[in-house]
Amino acid sequence: MPVPRRSRLVLAATLLFPLLPLAGCTAAADPAPGGGDRQRSAAGAAPTPAGAAPASAGTAPAGTAPGTGGGDGRRSAAGAGQEGASVKAAPGPPAPATLPVIPGLGPATRARIPKDSRQAVVVRGDDRDASTSTATLYEHDPVTGWTAVSDPWPAHNAAKGWTDHHLQGDLRSPIGVYGLTDAGGLLDDPGAKLPYEQGEGFTVTGNGSLGEPLEGSFDYVVAINYNRRPGVTPLDWTRPWGDERGGGIWIHVDHDGPTQGCVSLERDRMRELLRWLDPEKKPVVVMGDVLSLGR
């Protein structure tokens, strides 16, 4: 008995209906070249890059910000055995060590020392109005910084102490940082590296403020470059800042009493100083009372 045409269409539709879901699953599978799994999750997460480790069981829920306790859903190479291990940045290079500086000098005083100076005679007054002080020699090395190369030597400065604005006849030594470029004396050169002038012009007579004889005080001198021209004999009396600002400020042999503005050291120390000062190391004197030097 022939089957009606309508019945054949119904039968065909009935047989094809179970095959449609199978065709849909096949279309969703899209293997990546090389075997990587690019299948999207049901939550719509971004594809996992080829070769990346799958998310661990402790992956934070969608919407959890990294670093808030849920982790970022991946294991780091260093923390592969720990759930939710955080990744720490590699430590940077250590901060450079601060090189030693001359003790007792404040930032303003240190800033006045030229960058190329590698020798410093630091004269520290006991207080602003005192005439006694000490002198210590320092050398600078680019690796080790500033280092003392002598003990504190006893010294004298001006009878009334120290001043930031020295004037002729005020009986105060000028505070500051000054170059040391020239030397001389009544006696023969003891082995100075600085230019040294020997001559009768360094003869001195008379008495100091305590009545002590001044004879021999200028047997050895180092000119302090306060209100003078560097590179000439200490006996040159040119005053670039004017005569009222004083001058003739030297380091010279001590006469057991205060000076009029100079710094004085014992005779043996003066000889030692002259042999130590090296013009290639751009020596300076740093001088003043302890409070002023600490500025």
Side-chain angles (χ1 to χ4, degrees), residues 101-122:
V101 297
I102 298 174
L105 303 187
T109 303
R110 292 199 305 268
R112 297 181 64 179
I113 300 176
K115 299 295 185 183
D116 57 352
S117 291
R118 291 180 287 151
Q119 288 184 329
V121 182
V122 180

Side-chain angles (χ1 to χ4, degrees), residues 122-134 155-166 170-176 178 249 261-263 285-290 292-293:
V122 180
V123 182
R124 294 181 175 91
D126 294 341
D127 61 55
R128 186 83 171 190
D129 299 323
S131 62
T132 55
S133 49
T134 60
H156 279 100
N157 50 275
K160 293 186 178 181
W162 300 91
T163 179
D164 289 307
H165 190 78
H166 175 67
D170 66 3
L171 296 180
R172 289 184 178 272
S173 297
I175 297 169
Y178 308 103
I249 308 296
C262 299
V263 172
V285 61
V286 183
M287 52 194 285
D289 62 282
V290 291
S292 297
L293 293 181

Side-chain angles (χ1 to χ4, degrees), residues 34-63:
D37 183 6
R38 297 172 57 192
Q39 188 172 8
R40 295 179 179 267
S41 69
T48 302
S56 68
T59 302

Side-chain angles (χ1 to χ4, degrees), residues 129-159:
D129 299 323
S131 62
T132 55
S133 49
T134 60
T136 307
L137 310 185
Y138 288 86
E139 286 199 357
H140 183 268
D141 182 273
V143 176
T144 59
W146 286 100
T147 305
V149 295
S150 79
D151 294 327
W153 297 343
H156 279 100
N157 50 275

Side-chain angles (χ1 to χ4, degrees), residues 47-286:
T48 302
S56 68
T59 302
T64 302
T68 58
D72 65 356
R74 296 187 179 88
R75 295 172 185 262
S76 67
Q82 301 178 3
E83 291 291 337
S86 61
V87 180
K88 295 183 178 180
T98 302
L99 294 179
V101 297
I102 298 174
L105 303 187
T109 303
R110 292 199 305 268
R112 297 181 64 179
I113 300 176
K115 299 295 185 183
D116 57 352
S117 291
R118 291 180 287 151
Q119 288 184 329
V121 182
V122 180
V123 182
R124 294 181 175 91
D126 294 341
D127 61 55
R128 186 83 171 190
D129 299 323
S131 62
T132 55
S133 49
T134 60
T136 307
L137 310 185
Y138 288 86
E139 286 199 357
H140 183 268
D141 182 273
V143 176
T144 59
W146 286 100
T147 305
V149 295
S150 79
D151 294 327
W153 297 343
H156 279 100
N157 50 275
K160 293 186 178 181
W162 300 91
T163 179
D164 289 307
H165 190 78
H166 175 67
L167 297 173
Q168 179 68 33
D170 66 3
L171 296 180
R172 289 184 178 272
S173 297
I175 297 169
V177 178
Y178 308 103
L180 301 173
T181 56
D182 307 285
L186 182 64
L187 302 182
D188 291 340
D189 184 352
K193 298 183 180 71
L194 296 178
Y196 185 92
E197 178 175 334
Q198 186 272 332
E200 295 296 324
F202 293 96
T203 301
V204 61
T205 59
N207 298 316
S209 62
L210 301 180
E212 76 281 11
L214 299 178
E215 184 178 358
S217 300
F218 300 158
D219 284 353
Y220 304 112
V221 310
V222 176
I224 294 174
N225 290 349
Y226 169 85
N227 198 18
R228 72 177 296 269
R229 293 189 303 161
V232 299
T233 172
L235 297 174
D236 186 301
W237 300 109
T238 303
R239 301 288 181 257
W241 303 342
D243 292 343
E244 71 281 359
R245 293 298 304 276
I249 308 296
W250 295 347
I251 305 175
H252 61 69
V253 177
D254 190 71
H255 46 77
D256 296 325
T259 70
Q260 294 186 29
C262 299
V263 172
S264 62
L265 301 173
E266 295 174 356
R267 181 177 299 271
D268 288 345
R269 298 308 188 194
M270 278 301 303
R271 292 171 63 90
E272 188 174 346
L273 176 66
L274 284 165
R275 296 187 184 113
W276 177 74
L277 292 172
D278 186 346
E280 292 187 359
K281 296 182 179 181
K282 305 297 190 295
V284 296
V285 61
V286 183

Side-chain angles (χ1 to χ4, degrees), residues 5-59:
R5 185 177 183 86
R6 179 181 179 86
S7 299
R8 291 177 181 174
L9 292 176
V10 173
L11 178 61
T14 302
L15 293 175
L16 289 174
F17 183 79
L19 297 179
L20 291 177
L22 295 177
C25 287
T26 304
D30 183 15
D37 183 6
R38 297 172 57 192
Q39 188 172 8
R40 295 179 179 267
S41 69
T48 302
S56 68
T59 302

